């Protein structure tokens, strides 16, 4: 032990993230004897961090997490050599050479994109990586070492759950559908309009048609007419001067009445009940206790809708011509608007309404977080770090923190690390993947953003078509291939069986993408990765303690899809993936998708691991489950 | 004990934990006073966790003086505090963790405290205390519904013990099961029986705990105990050895006297196990290499579990671990097990 500790003082380590896990980790590292630590975080301190990110005080709100963390640590260990970066780890400055400076990298992140990226950088630099995650009472730590263990991306992680457009637009059945709708509405009215975020009734809903030919006809008709609205929602709102009452009646009366004419939808569902502004008795809503936790009545939410529309309207006017607002859960009128609109829609569709507190959880993808879980996980990280630095990889483990002990009495469950997946599309020697899409309907921009960046985690992809000519489809150099963005893949001769060579030079990563042309993808589905575990809805049925360090709420454009999780959830150890508030450096408020539950292969593996643990004979003291 | 008004300021600060354990639990925490004895590595972790959680008051009690070694073991003591009282030196930084908590320092030795000193608290947490003291305080407090916790870290090993009394009441939040409709037709509109994630129900439960005395004086000579031995974490016996060492030497094993202390530890192991009617092989010699000084990451793990158990007990929410938690930092395993009266 003493020998290990002596050599620690010359080690250089990188901590990615200075939040919940990061603060605890920095403290543990210096107390254990690490001297040379670099920490990076793009975020600034928020008051909601203070219940657990103990290196920060109220007076630090608004300041850089990495910077304040460094200062606080130096206070109790002035001899520590700490470098703080207020920056994104995905910045190309932090290239493979940068990573090679360290003997060990430890993640303390809260989103999948960054985790994927660091995973690749550590593979490229061949530096061991310790991954971790927490959510509520649950946590997990694991060690990643190129060539010896699975990398972070060896097992497919469930992607963000998205809801079909018609569920959002026509037939919501859960509060979350209404909340997603309300966030779309916010963007349509006040923010950046997005074709994937329509709020008006969807006449092309296949469920609405009494016969299939009808549905097809409606679909073509609506494409021509631009759906029910010939003008965009924003234009219409503008034309009324953002009149709250007119907006109210269109959204909660007229559009609902239109939905009612699509009678097939309501054959087996409870039909929505339209609201009328003049029929709502506008009494004052009041109550005791925390305002946020009250559930107001229809009157209350109607008033809230009115008020928030007026406020947002003023914000727009203030910003000037062509202004767009960005949704932020910590911006009160934005949050008020979504609370009001979502609840009014819930009421229309006969659902129990939700308090602002609960709506904020769902809309903002808030993952509950406490100090103790992070403290335990950060302690485990350092213990794994010590083994890693001694190259004792056979001693390293994945460790799960449960809420309650398992049948073998274990609260902390160590499991053997798995070897690399030979067909991993990241760490295999020549990674390859097959994607199904429609070459006539997919544009280059979509390939770049939704497939290569979002799905395959690349930051700055370069794409060449393997057509014998080496045609460059996408260049990571700004502006070089911009002209290609809106063209269809087929315009470049891409067809069924075409292959693309995709490079991300920063990540030192080359991926061969095989394309299969398909005209039979499901509605709303732009592409499919062959061999992926299918996305499943977060069905909170019998919750199992499935575990995985999931990460990935900050990633997609979809707003939160999960509802409040019960404690004994089948939880993926996600990151505290909140939608970043506008104060963070990452300007794009990628809506988070807090995927809390899944039943994909990963859970099954974990569950089967657990099963084997249970089935071990009583006198087998072996903590290590040798998996085949 | 409860104070019914949570301010908007508290709501903002505690938001992420209120979303986990609920407003009622937070209110109960807010009304609780806790005594924490011992401000070394483990104590500092527990202090941090309780202060961040938002208890009403936390008293830090420690009669020892800051030494270079003790200062390096935790993160609350300033670098220039050598020679000061440990609790006193930790006070300022502890208070800064959360100004809404009343943090106090008490420089007396816990052995010198009269019985009624303990009665002002809702929970007591003892670290670095002798077995006799822990047994005495446990006996004193448990009958008055004062929750008692003990914990220590020895090198790579650590444990926590809790006695929540004969009748500890708590609630658990369970999802409501919504029955599906009886429609024969399938289709998107058919309702499958499922758990409604949005509706939950609170289930009340009661559980009873053993005293520390009984927990440490388990009779291993009877057949039933012997058969359960294979499933018993050896950390339990390691704890007995270390507590005896502490009683005999008045301190814990120290790296400076590694040779002498190792010998003594092996001797004590033989004595303790023999007295229990058990074989020395139960605790192989290697244990001595890994129980010297407090390892910071082990303090973090044990302090995290211990801190959360105190929060659970005070907030009366969620099933408490019953009644020992043992952490082995070499294996990364943490087990919960029960010892004591049934």
């Amino acid at each position: 032990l003493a020998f290990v500790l002596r050599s620690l003082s010359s080690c250089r380590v990188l901590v990615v993230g200075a939040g919940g896990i990061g603060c605890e980790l920095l403290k543990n590292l210096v107390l254990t004897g690490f001297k040379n630590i670099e920490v990076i975080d793009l975020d600034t301190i928020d008051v909601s961090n203070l219940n657990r990110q103990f290196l920060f005080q109220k007076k630090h709100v608004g300041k850089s997490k990495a910077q304040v963390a460094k200062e606080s640590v130096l206070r109790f260990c002035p001899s520590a050599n700490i470098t703080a970066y207020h920056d994104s780890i995905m910045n190309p400055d932090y290239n493979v050479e940068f990573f090679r400076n360290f003997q060990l990298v430890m993640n303390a992140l809260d989103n999948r994109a960054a985790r994927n990226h660091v995973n690749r950088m550590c593979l490229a630099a061949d530096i061991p990586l310790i991954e971790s995650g927490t959510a509520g009472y649950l946590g997990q730590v694991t060690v990643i070492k190129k060539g010896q263990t699975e990398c972070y991306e060896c097992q497919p992680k469930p992607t963000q759950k998205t809801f079909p457009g018609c569920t959002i637009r026509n037939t919501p059945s859960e509060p979350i559908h209404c909340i997603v709708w309300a966030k779309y509405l916010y963007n349509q009215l006040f923010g950046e309009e997005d074709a994937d975020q329509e709020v008006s009734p969807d006449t092309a809903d296949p469920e609405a048609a009494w016969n299939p030919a009808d549905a097809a006809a409606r679909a073509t008709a609506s494409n021509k007419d631009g759906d029910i609205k010939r003008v965009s929602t924003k234009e219409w709102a503008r034309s009324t001067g953002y009149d709250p009452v007119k907006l109210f009646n269109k959204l909660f009366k007229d559009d609902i009445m239109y939905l009612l004419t699509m009678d097939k939808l309501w054959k087996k569902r409870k039909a929505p009940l339209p609201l009328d502004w003049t029929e709502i008795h506008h009494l004052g809503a009041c109550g005791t206790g925390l305002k946020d936790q009250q559930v107001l009545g229809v009157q209350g939410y109607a008033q809230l809708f009115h008020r928030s529309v007026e406020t947002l309207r003023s914000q727009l006017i203030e910003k000037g011509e062509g202004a767009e607002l960005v949704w932020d859960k910590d911006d009160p009128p934005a949050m008020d608007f979504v609370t009001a609109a979502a609840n009014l829609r819930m009421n229309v569709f006969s659902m129990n309404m939700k308090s602002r507190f609960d709506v904020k959880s769902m809309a903002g993808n808030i993952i509950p977080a406490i100090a103790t879980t992070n403290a335990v996980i950060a302690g485990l990280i350092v213990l794994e770090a010590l083994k890693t630095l001694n190259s004792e990889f056979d001693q390293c483990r994945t460790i799960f923190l449960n809420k309650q002990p398992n049948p073998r009495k274990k609260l902390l469950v160590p499991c053997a690390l798995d070897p690399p997946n030979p067909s991993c599309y990241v760490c295999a020697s020549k990674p390859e993947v097959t994607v199904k899409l429609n070459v006539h309907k997919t544009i280059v921009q979509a390939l770049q953003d939704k497939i290569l960046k979002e799905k395959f985690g690349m930051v700055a992809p370069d794409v060449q078509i393997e057509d014998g000519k080496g045609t460059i489809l996408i260049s990571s150099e700004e502006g070089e291939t911009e002209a290609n963005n809106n063209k269809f893949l087929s315009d470049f001769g891409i067809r069924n069986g075409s292959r693309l060579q995709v490079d991300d030079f920063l990540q030192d990563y080359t991926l061969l993408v095989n394309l299969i042309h398909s005209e039979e993808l499901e509605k709303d589905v732009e592409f499919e990765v062959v061999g992926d575990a299918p996305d499943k809805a977060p069905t909170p049925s019998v919750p199992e303690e499935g575990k995985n360090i999931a990460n990935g709420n900050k990633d997609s454009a979809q707003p939160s899809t999960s509802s409040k999780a019960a404690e004994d959830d089948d939880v993926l150890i996600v990151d505290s993936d909140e939608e970043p508030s506008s104060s963070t450096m990452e300007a794009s408020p990628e809506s988070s998708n807090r995927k809390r539950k899944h039943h994909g292969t990963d859970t099954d593996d974990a569950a089967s691991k657990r099963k084997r643990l249970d089935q071990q004979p009583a006198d087998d003291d072996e903590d290590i489950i040798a998996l085949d | 004990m409860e104070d019914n008004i949570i301010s908007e300021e508290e709501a903002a600060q505690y938001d992420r934990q209120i979303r986990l354990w609920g407003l009622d639990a937070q209110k109960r925490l807010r009304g609780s006073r806790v005594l924490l004895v011992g401000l070394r590595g483990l104590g500092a972790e527990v202090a941090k966790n309780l202060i961040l959680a938002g208890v009403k008051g936390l008293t830090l009690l420690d009669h020892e003086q800051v030494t270079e070694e003790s200062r390096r073991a935790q993160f609350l003591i300033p670098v220039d505090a050598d020679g000061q009282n440990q609790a006193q030196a930790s006070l300022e930084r502890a208070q800064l963790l959360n100004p809404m908590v009343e943090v106090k320092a008490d420089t007396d030795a816990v052995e010198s405290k009269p019985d009624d000193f303990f009665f002002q608290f809702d929970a007591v947490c003892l670290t670095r205390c002798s077995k006799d003291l822990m047994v005495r305080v446990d006996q004193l407090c448990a009958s008055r519904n004062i929750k008692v916790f003990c914990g220590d870290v020895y090198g790579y090993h650590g444990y926590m013990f809790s006695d929540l009394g004969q009748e500890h009441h708590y609630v658990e939040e369970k999802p409501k099961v919504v029955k599906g409709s009886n429609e024969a037709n399938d289709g998107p509109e058919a309702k499958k029986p499922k758990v409604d994630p949005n509706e939950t129900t609170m289930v009340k439960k009661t559980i009873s705990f053993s005293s520390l005395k009984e927990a440490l004086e388990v009779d291993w000579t009877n057949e039933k105990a012997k058969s359960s031995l294979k499933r018993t974490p050896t950390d339990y016996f390691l704890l007995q050895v270390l507590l005896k060492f502490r009683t005999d030497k008045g301190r814990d094993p120290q790296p400076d006297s590694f040779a002498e202390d190792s010998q003594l530890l092996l001797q004590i192991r033989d004595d303790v196990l023999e007295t229990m009617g058990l074989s020395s092989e139960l605790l192989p010699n290697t244990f001595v290499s890994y129980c010297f000084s407090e390892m910071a990451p082990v303090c973090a793990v044990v302090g995290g579990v211990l801190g959360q158990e105190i929060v659970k007990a005070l907030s009366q929410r969620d099933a408490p671990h019953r009644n020992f938690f043992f952490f082995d930092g070499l294996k990364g395993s943490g087990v919960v097990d029960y010892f004591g009266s049934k």
Side-chain angles (χ1 to χ4, degrees), chain A residues 160 175-184 186 327-330 334-340 342 346 354-367 553 556-564 577-580 589-594, chain B residues 19:
Chain A
Q160 191 153 332
I176 187 62
H177 304 148
C178 302
I179 291 170
V180 170
W181 178 87
K183 287 180 70 179
Y184 285 179
Y186 177 96
W327 194 79
D328 176 357
K329 70 179 187 306
D330 294 317
M335 195 56 234
D336 283 343
F337 177 83
V338 165
T339 303
M346 283 186 238
K354 296 278 172 196
S355 67
R356 195 178 190 280
F357 186 80
D358 287 344
V359 173
K360 188 171 180 181
S361 262
M362 292 184 260
N365 295 305
I366 298 177
I367 297 201
N553 287 353
S556 108
Q558 274 278 1
S560 163
T561 55
S562 298
S563 43
K564 175 176 168 220
D577 248 349
E578 300 178 9
E579 291 214 4
E590 305 144 277
S591 311
S592 318
N593 177 18
R594 190 190 74 195
Chain B
R19 287 177 194 279

Side-chain angles (χ1 to χ4, degrees), chain B residues 300-313:
Chain B
V301 173
V302 178
V305 175
L306 176 48
Q308 194 52 36
E309 286 309 292
I310 299 174
V311 166
K312 260 196 227 170

Side-chain angles (χ1 to χ4, degrees), chain A residues 157-233:
Chain A
K157 302 259 177 354
T159 49
Q160 191 153 332
K161 167 69 192 161
T162 60
F163 296 107
C166 30
T167 305
I168 302 299
R169 297 166 69 179
N170 291 2
T171 48
S173 56
E174 286 177 43
I176 187 62
H177 304 148
C178 302
I179 291 170
V180 170
W181 178 87
K183 287 180 70 179
Y184 285 179
L185 179 64
Y186 177 96
N187 283 339
Q188 298 291 63
L189 289 175
F190 306 105
E192 188 183 335
E193 287 169 278
D194 185 336
D196 292 330
Q197 296 185 355
E198 291 295 342
V199 292
S200 51
D202 183 4
T203 50
D205 187 346
E207 260 201 84
W210 284 99
N211 63 66
D214 223 15
R218 280 180 198 247
T220 5
S222 69
N223 280 343
K224 282 196 215 134
D225 294 342
D227 269 351
I228 187 177
K229 44 166 185 52
R230 286 176 179 75
V231 293
S232 73
T233 311

Side-chain angles (χ1 to χ4, degrees), chain A residues 139 352 389 449 520 613:
Chain A
N352 288 331
L389 289 167
D449 293 344
E520 264 141 49
L613 278 164

Side-chain angles (χ1 to χ4, degrees), chain A residues 334-506:
Chain A
M335 195 56 234
D336 283 343
F337 177 83
V338 165
T339 303
N343 271 303
L344 290 166
R345 191 164 172 86
M346 283 186 238
N347 182 263
V348 161
F349 285 89
S350 306
M351 293 179 226
N352 288 331
M353 293 187 284
K354 296 278 172 196
S355 67
R356 195 178 190 280
F357 186 80
D358 287 344
V359 173
K360 188 171 180 181
S361 262
M362 292 184 260
N365 295 305
I366 298 177
I367 297 201
I370 51 178
T372 55
T373 309
N374 288 328
V376 173
I377 293 306
L380 296 175
I381 293 172
V382 171
L383 290 168
E384 290 305 306
L386 294 175
K387 290 184 258 184
T388 302
L389 289 167
N390 260 357
S391 296
E392 293 169 342
F393 295 106
D394 54 322
Q395 297 295 314
C396 292
R397 300 283 179 262
T398 295
I399 305 179
F400 298 103
L401 168 64
N402 291 340
K403 186 179 179 192
Q404 290 294 332
N406 69 13
R408 288 195 80 204
K409 306 183 193 170
K410 290 191 176 164
L411 188 67
L412 289 170
V413 189
C415 299
L417 298 173
D418 292 314
N421 172 9
S423 7
C424 173
Y425 73 84
V426 174
C427 74
S429 52
K430 286 192 185 328
E432 211 175 304
V433 87
T434 303
V435 178
K436 226 190 242 183
L437 47 70
N438 185 325
V439 298
H440 302 298
K441 293 206 171 145
T442 306
I443 58 173
V444 172
Q445 179 98 62
L447 170 70
Q448 177 186 267
D449 293 344
K450 296 196 179 160
I451 301 178
L452 299 178
K453 287 187 177 178
E454 220 177 276
K455 176 70 185 173
F456 294 130
M458 300 199 194
V459 172
D462 284 277
V463 184
Q464 252 181 40
I465 308 175
E466 292 206 341
D467 55 0
K469 297 176 271 174
T471 307
I472 298 192
L473 193 60
I474 298 172
S475 163
S476 56
E477 285 297 319
E478 182 120 8
E480 262 183 33
T481 50
E482 213 167 303
N484 293 350
N485 283 351
N486 287 310
K487 296 197 179 142
F488 296 109
L489 297 183
S490 50
D491 293 345
F492 296 89
I494 293 173
R495 59 206 166 128
N496 190 45
S498 290
R499 283 149 69 94
L500 305 173
Q501 181 185 311
V502 187
D503 291 287
D504 185 314
F505 289 111
L506 178 62

Side-chain angles (χ1 to χ4, degrees), chain A residues 41-273:
Chain A
D41 195 312
L42 51 76
D43 219 346
T44 56
I45 298 161
D46 179 71
V47 66
S48 65
N49 300 148
L50 302 178
N51 79 320
R52 63 201 183 279
Q53 299 174 24
F54 77 97
L55 295 176
F56 313 139
Q57 295 166 38
K58 197 142 187 200
K59 65 183 184 185
H60 297 130
V61 171
K63 296 195 174 166
S64 148
K65 286 191 179 184
Q67 190 58 41
V68 176
K70 166 186 170 172
E71 284 161 15
S72 299
V73 169
L74 285 176
R75 224 158 264 133
F76 62 86
C77 188
S79 59
N81 174 21
I82 305 180
T83 308
Y85 302 91
H86 182 196
D87 205 346
S88 163
I89 192 62
M90 292 164 74
N91 181 325
D93 288 350
Y94 310 110
N95 55 14
V96 177
E97 279 314 301
F98 171 80
F99 277 80
R100 288 216 179 98
N101 284 325
F102 305 102
Q103 281 74 59
L104 176 65
V105 176
M106 289 162 280
N107 273 348
L109 286 166
D110 62 2
N111 70 90
R112 188 181 300 185
R115 284 181 158 131
N116 287 345
H117 182 73
V118 175
N119 178 51
R120 295 168 190 198
M121 301 307 288
C122 289
L123 288 170
D126 197 4
I127 305 291
L129 169 64
I130 300 186
E131 250 299 358
S132 62
T134 60
Y137 299 112
L138 307 178
Q140 182 183 351
V141 179
T142 194
V143 177
I144 294 170
K145 171 81 173 107
K146 176 177 175 170
Q148 296 210 21
T149 74
E150 276 189 346
C151 83
Y152 181 68
E153 296 172 269
C154 273
Q155 296 297 338
K157 302 259 177 354
T159 49
Q160 191 153 332
K161 167 69 192 161
T162 60
F163 296 107
C166 30
T167 305
I168 302 299
R169 297 166 69 179
N170 291 2
T171 48
S173 56
E174 286 177 43
I176 187 62
H177 304 148
C178 302
I179 291 170
V180 170
W181 178 87
K183 287 180 70 179
Y184 285 179
L185 179 64
Y186 177 96
N187 283 339
Q188 298 291 63
L189 289 175
F190 306 105
E192 188 183 335
E193 287 169 278
D194 185 336
D196 292 330
Q197 296 185 355
E198 291 295 342
V199 292
S200 51
D202 183 4
T203 50
D205 187 346
E207 260 201 84
W210 284 99
N211 63 66
D214 223 15
R218 280 180 198 247
T220 5
S222 69
N223 280 343
K224 282 196 215 134
D225 294 342
D227 269 351
I228 187 177
K229 44 166 185 52
R230 286 176 179 75
V231 293
S232 73
T233 311
K234 192 181 257 188
E235 279 165 25
W236 180 87
R238 260 203 209 114
S239 69
T240 69
Y242 284 92
D243 181 325
V245 177
K246 289 203 173 125
L247 268 171
F248 181 99
N249 281 334
K250 170 179 163 29
L251 296 166
F252 304 112
K253 180 175 144 187
D254 300 340
D255 284 354
I256 303 303
M257 286 172 61
Y258 185 87
L259 282 176
L260 287 170
T261 67
M262 299 163 75
D263 52 344
K264 184 167 185 247
L265 293 177
W266 317 113
K267 197 109 173 55
K268 285 168 189 168
R269 287 185 181 90
K270 185 164 198 309
L273 304 163

Side-chain angles (χ1 to χ4, degrees), chain A residues 281-298:
Chain A
H281 300 286
H282 296 282
L283 306 167
C286 60
T288 53
L290 283 179
K291 294 196 320 284
D292 255 27
Q293 299 220 1
Q294 286 171 45
V295 180
L296 310 178
V298 168

